[in-house]
Amino acid sequence: MYDVIVVGTRVSGAPLAMLLARKGYRVLAVDRALFPSDTSSTHYIHQAGLSLLKSWDLLDRVTATGCPPVRHLNFTYTDIDIRGMADPSPDGIDAVYCPRRTVLDKILVDAADAAGAEVISGFTVTGLLRDGDAVAGIRGRVGEGAEHEFRAKLVVGADGSGSTVAKEVGAQVYEGSPAACFVYYSYYEGIDWGMQHRTGFGEQQFAAWPTNDELYLVAVMRKRDRFREFRTDPDAGVQEIVDQIDPEIGARLRDSGRRVEPFRPMLYPDNYRRQSYGPGWALVGDAGYHKDPFTGWGITDSFKYAQLLSDLVAETLSGGRPFEETMPEYQRERDAQSASTFELTTSISELTLTPYYDSVFRAASMSPDYSTKFFGLIAGLYPPEKFFGETELAELYEQVDFPVQARHVSKSEAAL
């Protein structure tokens, strides 16, 4: 009998298993993958996520892999160009990192194992065990081997957007919106562009950042209705998008860039929040909450809410409040803490800006101080209520002498 079974051991499940095992609880963590193992990802870890890695004594392991730090960011939206970097985090982190998932996930799985969690890789969950209405464990097998059953006080689905646990318990979506775009990305050598996050006219974007092995991840994004057309010749499509957004970088890609791995196409699932707890079960990471990759918050949010869930699960297991109280609190806190990121991401991932966001970002690009705050907002270090505060925006517009007729200090006003 385990205290907790975690299904999925990537950026949500492995930290959760590690944190609970470090507290002395008996944890089983299973995943159908064998590690090191790749998965589709932005790779991007914001300063807030890096702070959690540091608090878990894992950041040094990530940086030791040779993944280069990024200390200057570039964010464009059509003709709006914001450049700079957030201020260092309270614990001194002054960079972002974009490690390959073959590297990051193996570090996390190894940390869970070292903490004392029992880790079984190559394990496919075939169903959940029940005790009346409550989930009481899992059944599954390694490869084609015999089926095994394991029981626990709590089963956590950390198994992604197609979560088996979510399907088995019938977890319903209670907030969501359709996904806007598709993404194609691969790894290139011969590129040294710095970090790029460029959205041009024509509802298209390219992004690039350095990762392990002296490679760059280069990604492009377009609206989903152009996916079939794009996939016929993705190399030409990538070159076309980069050329149209930044001809100079397009020329550099053509002259010196060389793709060294197959493309990873991604038709992302919709943006959603699912019911993330019930009798004997909970969901964490993309299993319970997913948003467009545009703002690169997937990994950082996975870390944040694995930490939150571990704290509340430990409160129950230590004899404090029952799961009937701590699990609703987990979902409420996750939703409250992620509300601004969720709303911002779903708004700007459409590859067009509302008049409100256009005016705010355009004015921010004209102020070095507010540009720093913008990247602090994106990094999870600067409070959204201050960045988008009506008083603060009025002061920004005045400071940069923004055209009066284009000043929007609230979304509702801009919609009129």
Side-chain angles (χ1 to χ4, degrees):
M1 179 73 170
Y2 294 92
D3 292 308
V4 178
I5 295 174
V6 181
V7 179
T9 60
R10 292 193 183 271
V11 292
S12 297
L16 177 65
M18 174 195 71
L19 291 166
L20 289 171
R22 284 180 177 179
K23 294 177 186 292
Y25 297 111
R26 191 170 183 222
V27 180
L28 171 66
V30 302
D31 199 297
R32 62 186 177 186
L34 298 172
F35 294 89
S37 172
D38 207 358
T39 190
S40 297
S41 173
T42 66
H43 300 42
Y44 196 95
I45 310 178
H46 290 279
Q47 285 158 277
L50 295 170
S51 290
L52 284 167
L53 282 176
K54 186 175 182 178
S55 73
W56 302 337
D57 295 323
L58 298 179
L59 181 56
D60 286 347
R61 299 188 203 179
V62 173
T63 60
T65 66
C67 184
V70 177
R71 293 189 172 90
H72 186 81
L73 305 179
N74 179 310
F75 178 95
T76 73
Y77 228 113
T78 59
D79 59 334
I80 302 169
D81 191 346
I82 308 177
R83 298 172 185 262
M85 186 69 193
D87 287 330
S89 63
D91 54 356
I93 295 172
D94 63 351
V96 297
Y97 290 85
C98 307
R100 291 198 66 158
R101 293 296 295 274
T102 50
V103 171
L104 176 65
D105 293 5
K106 182 67 163 60
I107 289 172
L108 296 171
V109 170
D110 287 350
D113 179 70
E118 183 179 342
V119 178
I120 306 177
S121 298
F123 185 95
T124 299
V125 173
T126 56
L128 300 181
L129 306 179
R130 306 277 181 167
D131 183 0
D133 293 333
V135 172
I138 62 172
R139 67 169 62 91
R141 59 172 59 90
V142 175
E144 298 300 319
E147 193 170 71
H148 296 276
E149 295 186 351
F150 302 100
R151 293 184 174 270
K153 299 170 186 174
L154 182 72
V155 173
V156 179
D159 46 345
S161 59
S163 170
T164 296
V165 176
K167 290 175 184 175
E168 288 283 324
V169 300
Q172 297 297 306
V173 171
Y174 58 86
E175 181 182 359
S177 62
C181 299
F182 70 86
V183 178
Y184 259 76
Y185 76 87
S186 190
Y187 304 93
Y188 290 72
E189 62 182 16
I191 287 176
D192 186 14
W193 300 346
M195 192 279 183
Q196 303 287 334
H197 197 281
R198 313 286 295 278
T199 304
F201 294 96
E203 298 182 337
Q204 55 189 7
Q205 184 216 42
F206 82 84
W209 38 78
T211 186
N212 296 91
D213 304 321
E214 299 183 350
L215 297 177
Y216 259 70
L217 182 153
V218 177
V220 296
M221 182 183 293
R222 272 182 172 164
K223 286 298 187 75
R224 288 171 70 97
D225 59 8
R226 302 177 69 182
F227 178 71
R228 183 172 296 181
E229 161 204 342
F230 187 93
R231 68 188 300 182
T232 61
D233 191 350
D235 280 306
V238 169
Q239 186 67 60
E240 177 188 49
I241 291 173
V242 178
D243 281 339
Q244 290 178 0
I245 295 176
D246 191 319
E248 179 184 345
I249 291 182
R252 291 162 63 186
L253 173 62
R254 187 179 298 103
D255 293 343
S256 60
R258 187 171 76 88
R259 180 169 60 84
V260 297
E261 295 191 22
F263 279 111
R264 275 75 163 174
M266 294 188 291
L267 271 173
Y268 260 71
D270 293 343
N271 307 288
Y272 59 78
R273 298 187 194 277
R274 285 185 183 132
Q275 177 68 23
S276 293
Y277 69 92
W281 62 273
L283 303 176
V284 69
D286 284 353
Y289 156 56
H290 178 268
K291 61 202 168 304
D292 194 281
F294 188 89
T295 50
W297 261 85
I299 296 175
T300 299
D301 269 352
S302 290
F303 290 172
K304 283 182 63 177
Y305 303 121
Q307 178 73 67
L308 173 66
L309 181 57
S310 73
D311 291 342
L312 289 166
V313 168
E315 182 180 344
T316 294
L317 294 177
S318 67
R321 292 180 297 156
F323 283 133
E324 288 80 6
E325 294 182 16
T326 55
M327 293 302 92
E329 180 176 334
Y330 156 67
Q331 181 169 296
R332 286 196 304 271
E333 279 298 306
R334 180 201 66 187
D335 289 357
Q337 292 180 25
S338 63
S340 61
T341 303
F342 188 74
E343 192 276 331
L344 176 65
T345 301
T346 55
S347 294
I348 67 177
S349 63
E350 293 283 344
L351 303 184
T352 55
L353 289 180
T354 64
Y356 171 77
Y357 282 121
D358 186 284
S359 63
V360 172
F361 294 159
R362 195 175 297 276
S365 72
M366 300 164 67
S367 165
D369 177 59
Y370 227 82
S371 292
T372 299
K373 293 175 181 176
F374 170 82
F375 289 113
L377 169 78
I378 297 298
L381 302 176
Y382 194 79
E385 63 273 14
K386 289 193 68 176
F387 185 88
F388 294 108
E390 295 186 9
T391 300
E392 287 80 4
L393 289 179
E395 292 174 353
L396 168 65
Y397 292 139
E398 194 65 30
Q399 173 193 332
V400 301
D401 196 23
F402 205 69
V404 174
Q405 66 275 15
R407 298 182 183 187
H408 298 300
V409 296
S410 72
K411 297 185 184 73
S412 58
E413 173 197 73
L416 296 175

